[in-house]
Amino acid sequence: MISQQMPVDHVDVLIVGAGPAGLMLATWMAQCGIKTRIVDKRGTKVFNGQADGLQCRMLEILDSFGIGHRAWREANHMVEICFWNPDETGLIRRSGRIPDTIPGISRFQQVVLHQGRIERFFLDFIEGSSPIRVERGVLPTTLEFDESAAEDTDAYPVTVTLRHLSEEEATPKQASTAANGSSVQDGLFRSNLAPDDTAELLRSSELSAKANTEEVVKAKYVVGADGAHSWVRKELGFSLEGDSTDYVWGVLDIVPITDFPDIRMRCAIHSATSGSVMVIPRENKLVRLYIQMTTQERKEGGNGRVDRSTITPELILQSAQKIMAPYKISYRRLDWWTAYQIGQRVGTHFSAKERIFLAGDAVHTHSPKAGQGMNVSMQDAYNLGWKIANVVKGLSDRSILKSYEVERSRIAHDLINFDRKFSRLFSGRPARDVMDEEGISLTEFKKAFEKGNLFASGIAVHYEASNIVSDVKNAKERVNGDKSKTLPAVTSDESLASKLTVGMRIPSVKVLSQSDARPWHFQELLPSNGAWRIVLFAGDVRDSEQKQRLQTLCDRLSEADSLLRRFTPADGRYDSVIEVLTVHAASRTELTIFDFPEVLRPYDEVDGWDYNKIYVDDLSYHEGHGQIYEEFGIDRTKGCAVVLRPDQYISYIGPLDDYESMDKFFSAFMIPQATSSKGNIVVSQ
Amino acid sequence: MISQQMPVDHVDVLIVGAGPAGLMLATWMAQCGIKTRIVDKRGTKVFNGQADGLQCRMLEILDSFGIGHRAWREANHMVEICFWNPDETGLIRRSGRIPDTIPGISRFQQVVLHQGRIERFFLDFIEGSSPIRVERGVLPTTLEFDESAAEDTDAYPVTVTLRHLSEEEATPKQASTAANGSSVQDGLFRSNLAPDDTAELLRSSELSAKANTEEVVKAKYVVGADGAHSWVRKELGFSLEGDSTDYVWGVLDIVPITDFPDIRMRCAIHSATSGSVMVIPRENKLVRLYIQMTTQERKEGGNGRVDRSTITPELILQSAQKIMAPYKISYRRLDWWTAYQIGQRVGTHFSAKERIFLAGDAVHTHSPKAGQGMNVSMQDAYNLGWKIANVVKGLSDRSILKSYEVERSRIAHDLINFDRKFSRLFSGRPARDVMDEEGISLTEFKKAFEKGNLFASGIAVHYEASNIVSDVKNAKERVNGDKSKTLPAVTSDESLASKLTVGMRIPSVKVLSQSDARPWHFQELLPSNGAWRIVLFAGDVRDSEQKQRLQTLCDRLSEADSLLRRFTPADGRYDSVIEVLTVHAASRTELTIFDFPEVLRPYDEVDGWDYNKIYVDDLSYHEGHGQIYEEFGIDRTKGCAVVLRPDQYISYIGPLDDYESMDKFFSAFMIPQATSSKGNIVVSQ
């Protein structure tokens, strides 16, 4: 298939698709210094439309790359959800309010910001920290996978041909819609009512062959983050399973002119007989309306799909006006609009032999109203990125890659179930009374919303047992008998941190730096840089017995064959593979960092001692007391040890001084490195 | 003097000097859309050295331009001050700790970040929001001022010739100091031990005349922000008054290698007989040491000044080592160093007929150790900028310009007194016992530090009475008999907001937006955009009597000749000159913005009603309850009205419905505008 004349490039990772999932993956690769290319068939990034909620967990993740504050500052903060329902007379009125984000689950709350800005933050990060550049207008045309070389870590088993498109080819054809006198780009080309445009792009590139050049890329790993119509998925012969419903929704992004008083709240509005509207207030005075199109207003095309040509912004607005009556709503500014039919589908496979992976819409599609799509897609890539990076760098064996499908396919199924329930409730007609079985109970709807909020926050994600999640209870339930899954090598003792859960992300409260008394949110100490972390909750180190336990552990950690030295390359910094952080519970002012063993504050010939490794659970001057021991359910005298994955999920909880279990945990998947005779820890004079 | 052939440019404002004060002024001009040029004789901005503390108030101000978060994220946060003093045996030990920033006075705490970064934030703002660009390597050579035209608002009474330097001329000659084997730029060229280099620059530009071009700028206003050796000040014949002390200090910016345990704290270290060190921990592992050089180590040149050639980084380090013994300190990385002799001087005049102004080091010099220099300089410009902008735009008469010297010369004198006391205490030898009258009492030192902290925060700034500060009590004390000062037109009633003070900046706690329940720090609602603000603390608007008071006021505000319409140009937005913000004290959930008169949530034909004008003092879901009424000492039923200057300082406090006083206040200095027949407030249908 591949011509001998074409130039051949070797890369560690090839990413197909530069939407949120592809860019998240590229961000990890940039951060970890992995040789990567990322291509997208479109000529430009998106500029408007495609607003999306950012979950609390998503903001925590963006913050771990140092870009969370940009989203937090620019986004609209959605604080409250208001429910509007028909009263006895059939007119809508506010029937309840709940907080949009459950108080206390995160230091962030859900916000809304359009996808183009999120992509900008990723692009800025990638360009600022690596040579990786998104190559736009580049279409993959052939994919060959030598499965026999899948387990050879030095091999480049995937071969992809890339075709560079002309500018015209790479520009998606968008209908320019005249609305209120001005021309507005619609979003139908991205809608699932629109046909896949890949074939069209391919065809047009054949026609203008002169404008094209082709090249061959040989990759160790390929990630298909190329959307619902994924070319990578089709090349692999994988499919999405599920079904579509016959609910049709219109979407308007407008600057509303309305006397509806809750237009800046997230609202779920059920009218008596005209359908539902969801209101999502956005940045820059915009409001997104998701509007149910009733059957009278649409003409069906073939196979249950709607003929999109009948839908216009005016038609969608008319639906909204009926639902929101007696309140008036209109607009002078229309930013974007689209229409879609809900379909819920999950991929049959998330990877081909852990060499070619699918992420984001390529493995799950669902309705946008729950504000989950972009989040779950980016989190697929967030889950996958550090694993690929650690394997490519030769730090971990390939077994950790199996956890990607195990962990993310479950999330995708949970998401589909959530969306199915949520959509049914939201699309249905309100029940007239308790005897009206076809109608939707609005009490049930509000309850589902409250329960759904925890899911929708992203905080509830709970990864199941594997060799990187030492959750034995869970392991017995789930892994038993399934040979495709890897078992934990050690057993956690969750009673030592009774409010933490192995397999979930570690929560955050404030701790103080021992060296300068500055308060930090605990998660701020866990940037996404690819490193594992051992967090030593050292307890009260003034207690002599406890001090001895800490000393014993540190003596072992300092030895030449310790897990800290064995798995760190000779040229790696002492914290580049496994970082040790200490959070003690004694009084800050009674101690200094020099009261702690040197391995907890390593010495560097140029920088001196490391002042950023030891923290304390104590009262700050300006930001209160985080009470991390209490919040995590850890005994203030005895403490415990917690191992965190590079993505902040908890791998293991054990006694502070159980070095052997920690060593066994890492030994199950990490690869010993050639270290220099001196080792990587410099001992001060 | 000026050749007929030179090109002549007309500008509203010419700023000489692009350091922090000049850039702050340019930031105001960019924000307000004023035609401005800013020139600096140096060819590049500063890149290292010149670290400076940023006060809480300074961070509030930076935040009001949307750049505070950049400083806050990058800076080192100084949280605690540790005092180290000789014990009975003469060895230093920690004798006390205090918070570096008094808890509760601001939402920010003092941080440290080097000047080059602050300048970068200003430059990004200016370039992002205006056509103004800093012109570097440009030297003013002549200044002519037609005083007879000073009061003619249409005149350009100042004429300045600018010479464009060659690159060589614009590059300051810095000694390259070999330190620890590597070449390090020193800061002596900026030190007040170094001779002024303007003359040298001028001379060398005469020599290479070919490289030069000259032009003439005619300006309505000129601001000299050109440093301690200010050319503008010298042209005006103004001088600095004060004296220099014989204390000599060395400054080292190093990555320290030390067993001194508080190296990441701000420390004041007094040794028994070897002098003092102040430790200022900085960003990027750097620590700044201010080290007292004892008399043995320096050789005097003429007129009491030190021969700088005898001072080297090694010599400074040796002093530090003696003072900090028995702790060891050394370094491998030296980022910058300098040495200076303290001089405290204040300018005799801050302006020439309110047409040419001096700001920053051009009117006050002092020691850097108190971390005040950059802050006070930037705040000079912050005080001046909106006044010039409002006068240039024809919104205010020139009387408000008089307040610049009244307000800022007092701050400069306070600063000098603070610095004099602080330096004496810091430079002196610790008293051996209570009978040792020549020594410094360390109890007194710590007390002075604690008291000084409020001054050093910038929060204590209290501007005296004038036509823009309606502080009658203060006015009687200070203005009586001095014809150069303008008197308030109305009388404030501070008892209505018993914890606020007219003439001080308004403090900040959180309030909720009525329209979307989002919590905002009150100060975040007061961006520096040049607008005045009337804040209506509307009280409990469920109370019918109170509701009527509010309605009466709003009826008056809505009239065609109201202060809102009279002073706003026909093409100006309703909130461009005077913005009305409402903070009520009823329950958020019982009201919507439509329960308030329309003038409090104005209607726009394209944007609909304004959702960002009405706030409430209520409990938030995630960020507690700001209790703004309690914090400001305002009655929750009756409320009050507060007028804020464009720089967030309180001008006036009065009863909620006393429209006449507010009208009288603004009428004293604002210029009625030609308004269209329709007025600038659009009334909805």
Side-chain angles (χ1 to χ4, degrees):
Chain A
M1 291 289 283
I2 292 161
S3 147
Q4 300 289 329
Q5 282 76 35
M6 284 190 220
V8 178
D9 189 22
H10 285 75
V11 297
D12 292 322
V13 179
L14 172 67
I15 302 166
V16 181
L23 288 172
M24 170 65 89
L25 206 84
T27 295
W28 261 127
M29 298 305 116
Q31 180 78 316
C32 295
I34 304 298
K35 190 179 176 194
T36 300
R37 287 180 68 176
I38 172 169
V39 300
D40 196 290
K41 65 187 174 191
R42 292 188 191 283
T44 57
K45 67 183 259 303
V46 297
F47 292 105
N48 60 357
Q50 290 144 48
D52 240 310
L54 289 173
Q55 306 172 338
C56 328
R57 177 56 189 154
M58 197 62 237
L59 286 160
E60 293 178 1
I61 292 170
L62 294 177
D63 198 60
S64 76
F65 288 109
I67 56 180
H69 66 288
R70 295 187 68 182
W72 187 248
R73 279 177 58 84
E74 283 191 26
N76 186 56
H77 291 216
M78 288 201 306
V79 178
E80 191 170 79
I81 305 176
C82 292
F83 299 95
W84 286 74
N85 292 311
D87 65 12
E88 317 76 46
T89 68
L91 294 178
I92 58 166
R93 64 178 180 81
R94 191 193 303 109
S95 61
R97 306 173 189 257
I98 59 171
D100 185 62
T101 300
I102 300 165
I105 60 172
S106 172
R107 68 192 200 276
F108 296 105
Q109 291 93 46
Q110 187 172 216
V111 300
V112 182
L113 185 62
H114 93 79
Q115 182 179 325
R117 293 304 299 158
I118 309 295
E119 295 183 4
R120 169 50 50 210
F121 307 153
F122 281 129
L123 290 167
D124 288 348
F125 179 92
I126 293 164
E127 289 173 14
S129 60
S130 79
I132 302 168
R133 295 293 176 272
V134 175
E135 301 168 56
R136 300 192 187 276
V138 175
L139 186 73
T141 55
T142 70
L143 183 149
E144 290 171 22
F145 177 27
D146 177 6
E147 296 195 11
S148 68
E151 295 307 318
D152 173 2
T153 51
D154 294 330
Y156 292 82
V158 195
T159 306
V160 176
T161 310
L162 298 178
R163 180 177 294 186
H164 294 255
L165 304 176
S166 66
E167 192 183 326
E168 188 193 13
E169 293 165 339
T171 308
K173 292 192 176 46
Q174 292 190 37
S176 221
T177 311
N180 284 33
S182 65
S183 174
V184 175
Q185 282 200 329
D186 68 46
L188 295 175
F189 77 96
R190 293 267 307 192
S191 155
N192 60 2
L193 294 183
D196 179 10
D197 53 3
T198 309
E200 199 176 24
L201 279 170
L202 264 175
R203 217 171 24 249
S204 80
S205 81
E206 279 167 13
L207 293 174
S208 58
K210 258 176 148 177
N212 296 329
T213 60
E214 288 200 332
E215 65 172 318
V216 172
V217 173
K218 287 184 166 285
K220 288 187 171 173
Y221 294 91
V222 169
V223 180
D226 48 350
H229 302 289
S230 171
W231 174 85
V232 175
R233 187 185 69 226
K234 285 176 189 160
E235 287 293 307
L236 294 172
F238 298 161
S239 58
L240 294 180
E241 290 181 347
D243 46 38
S244 52
T245 65
D246 61 354
Y247 304 120
V248 175
W249 291 81
V251 182
L252 288 183
D253 280 351
I254 58 174
V255 177
I257 299 178
T258 182
D259 56 0
F260 180 70
D262 287 352
I263 197 70
R264 297 300 308 171
M265 302 291 189
R266 183 174 172 193
C267 292
I269 307 173
H270 280 88
S271 70
T273 57
S274 304
S276 311
V277 166
M278 180 172 281
V279 177
I280 304 285
R282 289 182 52 189
E283 70 278 13
N284 297 331
K285 298 179 185 162
L286 289 170
V287 171
R288 165 158 293 189
L289 300 178
Y290 287 102
I291 300 148
Q292 190 177 354
M293 307 298 289
T294 53
T295 43
Q296 296 93 310
E297 290 154 341
R298 57 198 177 89
K299 296 170 194 150
E300 299 219 350
N303 56 43
R305 294 218 151 233
V306 170
D307 175 6
R308 71 177 192 188
S309 68
T310 63
I311 299 176
T312 63
E314 289 74 16
L315 198 65
I316 302 173
L317 178 65
Q318 283 163 23
S319 290
Q321 287 168 333
K322 266 188 241 168
I323 297 163
M324 294 173 73
Y327 297 101
K328 293 186 177 62
I329 184 161
S330 64
Y331 60 82
R332 292 278 291 272
R333 283 197 195 145
L334 170 64
D335 189 57
W336 191 76
W337 70 277
T338 192
Y340 64 89
Q341 193 163 4
I342 297 170
Q344 286 118 346
R345 296 184 174 82
V346 180
T348 49
H349 300 82
F350 280 53
S351 98
K353 297 208 177 291
E354 291 83 40
R355 281 291 188 169
I356 305 174
F357 296 92
L358 299 174
D361 290 352
V363 272
H364 42 73
T365 65
H366 49 88
S367 74
K369 278 192 318 303
Q372 293 300 299
M374 186 166 72
N375 293 281
V376 175
S377 293
M378 286 193 278
Q379 286 174 46
D380 287 346
Y382 184 64
N383 180 290
L384 180 59
W386 65 269
K387 295 173 185 173
I388 293 180
N390 273 269
V391 171
V392 166
K393 289 169 107 168
L395 300 172
S396 288
D397 64 39
R398 285 179 31 82
S399 68
I400 65 169
L401 296 173
K402 280 196 191 303
S403 64
Y404 173 65
E405 178 164 318
V406 172
E407 293 174 350
R408 296 310 295 180
S409 73
R410 183 170 159 202
I411 299 297
H413 282 99
D414 288 350
L415 170 62
I416 294 318
N417 292 336
F418 170 76
D419 186 48
R420 197 171 280 140
K421 182 169 181 189
F422 190 78
S423 292
R424 188 185 64 80
L425 286 170
F426 197 73
S427 301
R429 171 181 62 74
R432 274 179 287 273
D433 53 48
V434 288
M435 299 302 289
D436 179 6
E437 287 187 3
E438 278 191 12
I440 301 298
S441 150
L442 293 171
T443 316
E444 189 193 351
F445 180 72
K446 190 179 166 194
K447 266 190 199 156
F449 228 118
E450 280 174 327
K451 200 176 160 196
N453 259 2
L454 182 61
F455 177 83
S457 71
I459 301 298
V461 167
H462 185 172
Y463 292 142
E464 67 180 88
S466 70
N467 63 345
I468 54 172
V469 176
S470 297
D471 178 2
V472 170
K473 182 177 56 190
N474 181 299
K476 280 179 188 158
E477 283 172 26
R478 299 186 162 270
V479 182
N480 197 15
D482 185 344
K483 299 243 169 148
S484 75
K485 295 180 178 176
T486 51
L487 273 164
V490 294
T491 303
S492 289
D493 182 355
E494 287 188 331
S495 73
L496 297 173
S498 59
K499 296 179 189 169
L500 297 183
T501 304
V502 173
M504 293 183 77
R505 77 90 166 85
I506 196 157
S508 189
V509 292
K510 287 189 177 163
V511 295
L512 308 186
S513 170
Q514 175 65 50
S515 63
D516 67 5
R518 177 171 176 181
W520 291 93
H521 246 290
F522 182 67
Q523 280 185 356
E524 293 179 302
L525 310 177
L526 313 172
S528 291
N529 58 14
W532 286 78
R533 293 189 175 88
I534 297 176
V535 185
L536 299 178
F537 289 94
D540 186 349
V541 292
R542 292 166 306 189
D543 176 280
S544 62
E545 196 179 322
Q546 182 69 3
K547 191 169 183 176
Q548 188 51 53
R549 289 177 73 205
L550 183 65
Q551 189 63 53
T552 304
L553 172 71
C554 291
D555 288 347
R556 189 68 191 83
L557 285 171
S558 307
E559 284 175 20
D561 68 341
S562 83
L563 63 91
L564 293 184
R565 296 205 191 182
R566 212 159 76 241
F567 299 122
T568 305
D571 60 351
R573 214 178 105 112
Y574 48 79
D575 55 5
S576 60
V577 177
I578 302 171
E579 179 180 29
V580 181
L581 294 172
T582 302
V583 183
H584 72 85
S587 159
R588 176 179 68 83
T589 56
E590 288 182 40
L591 300 170
T592 79
I593 65 161
F594 294 105
D595 292 309
F596 291 81
E598 189 166 274
V599 70
L600 304 183
R601 48 173 176 89
Y603 182 81
D604 177 276
E605 287 182 347
V606 174
D607 292 340
W609 285 283
D610 194 325
Y611 297 100
N612 301 311
K613 301 298 190 200
I614 301 178
Y615 297 83
V616 54
D617 184 24
D618 204 344
L619 183 67
S620 71
Y621 287 117
H622 306 99
E623 301 179 30
H625 194 314
Q627 299 287 9
I628 197 170
Y629 276 72
E630 190 182 319
E631 291 293 322
F632 288 4
I634 299 172
D635 183 283
R636 285 191 81 86
T637 303
K638 289 194 165 176
C640 70
V642 175
V643 174
L644 299 178
R645 310 185 343 175
D647 57 4
Q648 304 179 340
Y649 286 79
I650 301 170
S651 279
Y652 163 83
I653 299 169
L656 180 67
D657 52 357
D658 184 2
Y659 172 85
E660 294 310 322
S661 287
M662 288 187 261
D663 196 305
K664 204 169 158 190
F665 170 79
F666 285 108
S667 299
F669 59 88
M670 279 206 156
I671 300 171
Q673 306 292 308
T675 51
S676 71
S677 61
K678 200 173 159 208
N680 53 296
I681 293 173
V682 179
V683 177
S684 65
Q685 295 72 25
Chain B
M1 291 286 284
I2 292 158
S3 148
Q4 300 290 331
Q5 282 77 36
M6 284 188 220
V8 178
D9 189 22
H10 285 76
V11 297
D12 292 323
V13 179
L14 172 67
I15 303 167
V16 181
L23 288 172
M24 169 64 89
L25 205 84
T27 295
W28 260 129
M29 297 305 114
Q31 181 76 315
C32 296
I34 305 298
K35 190 179 178 195
T36 300
R37 288 181 66 177
I38 172 168
V39 301
D40 196 289
K41 64 188 175 190
R42 293 186 190 284
T44 58
K45 67 183 261 303
V46 298
F47 293 106
N48 59 357
Q50 291 146 47
D52 240 309
L54 288 173
Q55 306 172 337
C56 326
R57 178 57 190 154
M58 197 61 236
L59 285 159
E60 292 178 0
I61 292 169
L62 294 177
D63 198 59
S64 77
F65 288 109
I67 57 181
H69 66 289
R70 295 187 68 183
W72 186 248
R73 280 176 59 83
E74 283 190 26
N76 186 57
H77 292 215
M78 288 201 306
V79 178
E80 191 170 79
I81 304 175
C82 292
F83 299 94
W84 285 74
N85 292 310
D87 64 10
E88 317 76 47
T89 69
L91 295 178
I92 57 165
R93 64 176 181 83
R94 191 193 303 111
S95 61
R97 307 173 189 256
I98 59 170
D100 185 61
T101 300
I102 300 165
I105 60 171
S106 173
R107 68 192 200 275
F108 296 105
Q109 290 93 47
Q110 186 172 216
V111 301
V112 182
L113 184 62
H114 94 76
Q115 182 180 324
R117 293 303 299 158
I118 309 295
E119 294 183 5
R120 169 50 51 208
F121 306 152
F122 281 128
L123 290 167
D124 288 349
F125 179 92
I126 293 164
E127 290 173 13
S129 61
S130 79
I132 302 169
R133 296 293 175 272
V134 175
E135 300 168 57
R136 299 190 188 278
V138 174
L139 187 72
T141 55
T142 70
L143 183 150
E144 288 170 24
F145 177 28
D146 176 5
E147 297 195 10
S148 68
E151 296 307 319
D152 172 4
T153 52
D154 295 329
Y156 292 81
V158 196
T159 307
V160 176
T161 312
L162 299 178
R163 182 175 292 184
H164 295 254
L165 303 176
S166 67
E167 191 181 330
E168 186 193 14
E169 293 164 337
T171 309
K173 293 192 177 47
Q174 292 190 37
S176 221
T177 313
N180 284 34
S182 66
S183 173
V184 175
Q185 282 200 330
D186 68 44
L188 294 176
F189 76 93
R190 291 268 306 194
S191 154
N192 62 0
L193 294 182
D196 180 10
D197 51 4
T198 308
E200 200 176 23
L201 279 169
L202 264 174
R203 216 169 27 247
S204 77
S205 80
E206 279 167 12
L207 292 174
S208 57
K210 258 172 142 178
N212 296 328
T213 61
E214 288 199 329
E215 65 172 318
V216 173
V217 173
K218 287 186 166 285
K220 287 187 172 172
Y221 294 91
V222 169
V223 180
D226 50 348
H229 301 289
S230 171
W231 174 86
V232 176
R233 188 186 67 227
K234 285 175 190 162
E235 287 292 307
L236 293 172
F238 299 161
S239 58
L240 295 179
E241 289 181 349
D243 47 37
S244 50
T245 65
D246 60 355
Y247 303 120
V248 174
W249 291 82
V251 181
L252 289 183
D253 280 350
I254 58 174
V255 177
I257 299 178
T258 182
D259 56 1
F260 179 70
D262 288 350
I263 197 70
R264 296 301 307 172
M265 301 291 190
R266 183 174 172 193
C267 292
I269 307 173
H270 280 90
S271 71
T273 58
S274 303
S276 312
V277 166
M278 179 173 280
V279 178
I280 305 285
R282 288 183 51 189
E283 69 280 13
N284 296 332
K285 297 180 186 163
L286 289 170
V287 171
R288 164 158 294 189
L289 301 178
Y290 287 103
I291 301 147
Q292 191 177 355
M293 308 297 288
T294 54
T295 43
Q296 297 94 309
E297 290 155 339
R298 57 196 176 90
K299 294 168 195 150
E300 299 217 352
N303 56 42
R305 295 220 150 229
V306 170
D307 176 6
R308 72 178 195 188
S309 68
T310 62
I311 299 177
T312 64
E314 289 74 16
L315 197 67
I316 301 173
L317 179 65
Q318 283 163 25
S319 289
Q321 288 168 332
K322 265 187 242 166
I323 297 163
M324 293 173 74
Y327 297 101
K328 292 184 178 64
I329 183 161
S330 65
Y331 60 81
R332 292 276 292 272
R333 283 197 196 146
L334 170 65
D335 188 59
W336 190 77
W337 72 277
T338 191
Y340 65 90
Q341 192 164 2
I342 299 169
Q344 286 118 347
R345 295 184 176 82
V346 180
T348 49
H349 300 83
F350 280 54
S351 97
K353 296 208 177 291
E354 290 84 40
R355 280 291 186 169
I356 306 175
F357 296 93
L358 300 174
D361 289 353
V363 271
H364 42 74
T365 66
H366 49 89
S367 74
K369 278 192 319 303
Q372 294 300 300
M374 186 166 71
N375 293 281
V376 176
S377 293
M378 286 193 279
Q379 285 174 47
D380 287 345
Y382 184 65
N383 181 289
L384 179 60
W386 65 269
K387 296 173 185 173
I388 293 180
N390 273 270
V391 172
V392 166
K393 289 169 106 167
L395 300 172
S396 289
D397 65 39
R398 283 179 33 81
S399 69
I400 66 169
L401 297 173
K402 280 196 192 300
S403 64
Y404 173 65
E405 178 163 318
V406 173
E407 293 174 352
R408 298 308 297 179
S409 74
R410 182 171 160 201
I411 299 297
H413 281 100
D414 288 351
L415 170 62
I416 296 317
N417 292 335
F418 170 77
D419 185 48
R420 199 170 278 142
K421 182 171 182 187
F422 190 78
S423 293
R424 188 185 63 80
L425 287 169
F426 199 74
S427 301
R429 169 182 61 75
R432 276 178 287 270
D433 52 46
V434 288
M435 299 302 290
D436 179 4
E437 288 186 1
E438 278 190 11
I440 301 299
S441 151
L442 294 171
T443 316
E444 188 193 351
F445 179 71
K446 191 180 164 191
K447 266 189 201 156
F449 228 118
E450 281 175 327
K451 196 177 161 195
N453 258 3
L454 182 61
F455 177 82
S457 71
I459 301 298
V461 166
H462 185 170
Y463 292 142
E464 67 180 87
S466 69
N467 62 344
I468 54 172
V469 176
S470 298
D471 178 1
V472 170
K473 181 177 52 181
N474 181 301
K476 281 178 187 157
E477 280 172 29
R478 298 187 162 270
V479 182
N480 197 16
D482 185 345
K483 298 239 167 149
S484 74
K485 294 179 179 175
T486 50
L487 271 163
V490 293
T491 304
S492 290
D493 182 354
E494 287 189 328
S495 73
L496 297 173
S498 59
K499 296 178 187 169
L500 297 183
T501 303
V502 173
M504 294 183 77
R505 78 89 166 88
I506 196 157
S508 190
V509 292
K510 286 189 179 163
V511 294
L512 308 186
S513 170
Q514 176 66 49
S515 63
D516 67 4
R518 177 171 176 181
W520 290 95
H521 246 291
F522 182 67
Q523 280 185 357
E524 293 178 301
L525 311 179
L526 314 172
S528 291
N529 57 14
W532 286 79
R533 293 189 175 88
I534 297 175
V535 185
L536 299 178
F537 289 94
D540 187 347
V541 291
R542 291 167 305 190
D543 177 279
S544 62
E545 197 179 324
Q546 183 67 6
K547 191 168 184 180
Q548 188 50 53
R549 290 178 71 204
L550 183 64
Q551 188 64 53
T552 304
L553 173 70
C554 290
D555 288 346
R556 188 69 191 84
L557 285 172
S558 306
E559 285 174 22
D561 69 340
S562 82
L563 62 91
L564 294 184
R565 297 204 190 181
R566 213 161 73 239
F567 299 123
T568 304
D571 60 350
R573 214 177 105 110
Y574 49 79
D575 55 5
S576 60
V577 177
I578 302 171
E579 178 181 29
V580 180
L581 294 172
T582 301
V583 183
H584 72 86
S587 159
R588 176 180 67 82
T589 56
E590 290 182 41
L591 299 171
T592 79
I593 65 161
F594 294 105
D595 292 310
F596 291 81
E598 189 165 271
V599 71
L600 304 182
R601 47 176 175 86
Y603 181 82
D604 177 275
E605 287 182 347
V606 173
D607 292 340
W609 285 282
D610 194 324
Y611 297 101
N612 302 311
K613 301 299 190 200
I614 301 178
Y615 297 84
V616 53
D617 184 24
D618 203 344
L619 183 67
S620 71
Y621 288 118
H622 306 98
E623 300 179 30
H625 193 314
Q627 299 287 8
I628 197 169
Y629 276 72
E630 190 182 319
E631 291 292 321
F632 288 4
I634 298 173
D635 183 283
R636 284 190 82 86
T637 303
K638 289 194 167 180
C640 70
V642 175
V643 175
L644 300 178
R645 307 181 352 172
D647 57 5
Q648 305 180 338
Y649 286 79
I650 301 170
S651 280
Y652 164 83
I653 299 171
L656 180 67
D657 51 359
D658 184 1
Y659 172 84
E660 294 310 322
S661 286
M662 288 187 260
D663 196 304
K664 203 168 158 194
F665 170 79
F666 285 108
S667 299
F669 59 89
M670 280 204 155
I671 299 172
Q673 305 293 308
T675 52
S676 70
S677 61
K678 200 174 162 207
N680 52 295
I681 293 173
V682 178
V683 178
S684 64
Q685 297 72 20

